[in-house]
Amino acid sequence: MKSKILSIYLPQFHAIPENDEWWGTGFTEWVNVKRGRKFYPGHYQPREPLHDDYYDLSDIKVLEKHTKLAKKAGISGFCFYQYYFCGKKLLEKPIETYRDYSKADFPYCLIWANESWMRTWYRAPANNTLLMRQVYGDENEWKEHFYYLLMFFKDKRYIKIDNKPVYIIYIPQNIRYRKEMFTLWRKLAKEEGFDGLFLIAMNTSHGKADRSDVYDAYLNFEPMVSLFGDDISWRKHILNWKGRHINLIRKNRVSWINRVLAKNDYSYSYLCKFIEKKAKRSDKKTYSGIFSGWDNTSRKDEAGIIIRGSSPKKFGKHILKMLRISERSDKEYIFLNAWNEWSEGAYVEPDKKYGYRYLRALRHAVFKYNNESVTKGKEY
């Protein structure tokens, strides 16, 4: 079975009343991206989209353009973040519009980003201000949530495994009565003609969810699960030390000393090799993650983490290796972080520095992989 790439997709690039209230009129993710700045010579900030394409996802044509680009590059579907708070929806317009009105044939599924929204950007102390609390309610609210999801599940483009709609949950361990909730959802799904739900728990910086009996699979969210969970090298100890001595960074200055003090001890090459080794050892129930790069300083200033040394060439080689490993493990998908996480430096969309080179590297790797046979004993 040939493995395929699904890419995480952020729908934050359009204005909503709540963000206007919390962050200022007209706020979108582009506000974060534009405030990026260099911390040291050679630091790649700010990130700027090619041709200044600061798009607005309230226009369905933008998302349809992205699906065409992604398909051409070898991506097999998007995993849209969904923000749902016990009946309250945020940032839902792009995905609902795509579901109801788009004629594009690009597959997709949803990731429930089920964490409370906090004011933690722009040097704000962690958990400083609660913007939107995540609560889960009781059985009535669980049913309401399911029947909202059902409108997506019944879309012929929605990704399914064994006639089970795929639904990914970011932090399932936050749901106290998750076994009861998921049991109800599976029962309702069968009543609607499916063979259940294919529930995937994400392994993140928050750790791995327990109660493995309630999930069909796990997903490694890279690079965060490796940075904060799996890696035990000296790099992690230095990263932790820098986190405790953040005040040493020379704020608002492009300084050579910041190259040492900025939280950038991890290289892209090291993490790719680490992820590849981990993928070879992982069980059949765990999907691997890949990533194009990471630098979230435009969101979190000096509290952000920089992973240095990403390039289209390294990215393409990593994808090819991960697809081969995934196929040998008989896994249908690997998950890319991300299509458009601009303020985290995790995107493959064209920018002013690289143009379309990341997308071309992706297309070349997928094309090469799809035209080779695993029986030839391809080297990892």
Side-chain angles (χ1 to χ4, degrees):
M1 176 177 61
K2 283 289 184 181
S3 294
K4 301 175 183 177
I5 297 174
L6 300 180
S7 180
I8 294 172
Y9 190 102
L10 182 71
Q12 177 80 291
F13 299 91
H14 68 290
I16 60 173
E18 291 83 359
N19 274 337
D20 286 347
E21 177 185 350
W22 297 328
W23 299 100
T25 302
F27 176 88
T28 74
E29 188 72 359
W30 292 124
V31 174
N32 288 331
V33 177
K34 291 178 180 179
R35 66 184 297 278
R37 64 175 183 83
K38 296 181 184 299
F39 276 88
Y40 51 83
H43 182 200
Y44 179 26
Q45 284 289 356
R47 306 294 180 105
E48 298 176 296
L50 188 63
H51 306 310
D52 292 321
D53 185 18
Y54 296 100
Y55 52 75
D56 183 345
L57 284 178
S58 63
D59 182 355
I60 190 174
K61 293 180 181 178
V62 174
L63 180 49
E64 290 178 329
K65 176 185 175 182
H66 292 172
T67 62
K68 291 177 182 177
L69 273 176
K71 189 173 184 178
K72 184 177 180 181
I75 295 173
S76 296
F78 281 149
C79 306
F80 296 119
Y81 279 125
Q82 175 215 8
Y83 303 91
Y84 188 94
F85 302 82
C86 201
K88 171 67 175 178
K89 300 178 292 182
L90 294 176
L91 301 171
E92 76 282 357
K93 183 175 181 178
I95 57 177
E96 289 185 358
T97 303
Y98 183 76
R99 177 196 67 197
D100 295 338
Y101 300 108
S102 175
K103 295 182 180 179
D105 61 353
F106 197 66
Y108 70 96
C109 65
L110 299 179
I111 300 175
W112 184 14
N114 64 313
E115 58 183 344
S116 297
W117 281 19
M118 314 296 298
R119 186 179 294 277
T120 58
W121 299 341
Y122 309 162
R123 300 193 177 116
N127 302 321
N128 183 49
T129 304
L130 177 67
L131 301 177
M132 178 65 69
R133 183 182 300 278
Q134 180 61 263
V135 293
Y136 301 99
D138 56 21
E139 186 171 311
N140 291 327
E141 282 76 27
W142 304 345
K143 287 182 178 179
E144 181 182 0
H145 190 176
F146 173 82
Y147 286 114
Y148 171 69
L149 293 173
L150 184 62
M151 293 185 284
F152 293 95
F153 295 163
K154 288 191 172 183
D155 187 342
K156 65 180 181 180
R157 297 165 298 184
Y158 197 90
I159 297 168
K160 302 172 182 71
I161 296 177
D162 299 328
N163 194 35
K164 298 176 182 179
V166 172
Y167 193 52
I168 306 169
I169 305 172
Y170 186 61
I171 318 178
Q173 57 267 46
N174 279 4
I175 308 172
R176 182 175 182 181
Y177 297 107
R178 51 194 174 279
K179 184 172 184 179
E180 292 81 359
M181 176 189 283
F182 300 156
T183 297
L184 174 63
W185 283 0
R186 286 189 169 103
K187 174 178 177 291
L188 296 174
K190 289 180 180 179
E191 291 175 359
E192 295 294 335
F194 300 110
D195 291 331
L197 289 181
F198 197 92
L199 294 174
I200 301 178
M202 293 182 76
N203 300 328
T204 67
S205 58
H206 299 276
K208 181 177 180 177
D210 57 2
R211 303 296 298 270
S212 60
D213 56 311
V214 303
Y215 315 115
D216 295 276
Y218 288 92
L219 162 60
N220 286 333
F221 180 64
E222 301 293 359
M224 304 314 287
V225 67
S226 291
L227 286 176
F228 293 101
D230 300 326
D231 184 55
I232 56 173
S233 72
W234 56 267
R235 297 167 181 83
K236 185 172 183 177
H237 294 291
I238 292 181
L239 184 71
N240 292 338
W241 181 88
K242 288 183 176 182
R244 296 191 299 271
H245 296 81
I246 196 172
N247 59 310
L248 297 176
I249 294 177
R250 296 186 179 181
K251 301 174 183 178
N252 302 316
R253 290 183 62 183
V254 179
S255 169
W256 280 102
I257 195 66
N258 286 355
R259 183 182 290 277
V260 177
L261 295 173
K263 299 168 74 173
N264 65 338
D265 293 280
Y266 280 94
S267 72
Y268 184 76
S269 296
Y270 171 81
L271 279 170
C272 286
K273 291 177 182 177
F274 183 84
I275 291 167
E276 289 158 13
K277 291 179 181 178
K278 182 170 59 175
K280 293 177 188 178
R281 302 190 302 266
S282 68
D283 57 51
K284 183 174 172 54
K285 198 174 180 179
T286 302
Y287 290 107
S288 295
I290 55 178
F291 72 107
S292 56
W294 187 271
D295 180 351
N296 63 344
T297 55
S298 67
R299 270 190 188 171
K300 297 199 172 185
D301 296 302
E302 63 275 1
I305 294 175
I306 304 164
I307 295 174
R308 52 185 169 79
S310 173
S311 71
K313 184 177 180 179
K314 293 176 184 178
F315 176 59
K317 287 183 177 180
H318 180 53
I319 290 171
L320 184 56
K321 289 181 181 179
M322 290 297 291
L323 284 169
R324 291 169 177 168
I325 295 169
S326 180
E327 180 175 357
R328 288 173 184 265
S329 303
D330 197 30
K331 297 172 186 175
E332 188 171 359
Y333 299 112
I334 59 175
F335 291 80
L336 169 64
N337 183 27
W339 176 261
N340 61 343
E341 280 279 13
W342 282 84
S343 63
E344 293 182 345
Y347 60 89
V348 292
E349 290 187 301
D351 66 7
K352 289 184 179 180
K353 181 174 181 178
Y354 293 106
Y356 286 85
R357 286 170 59 195
Y358 273 90
L359 287 175
R360 288 172 183 153
L362 176 57
R363 181 175 63 183
H364 176 74
V366 173
F367 178 83
K368 184 175 182 180
Y369 165 72
N370 284 335
N371 285 278
E372 68 183 20
S373 171
V374 292
T375 61
K376 294 181 180 179
K378 291 290 182 180
E379 186 177 339
Y380 283 142

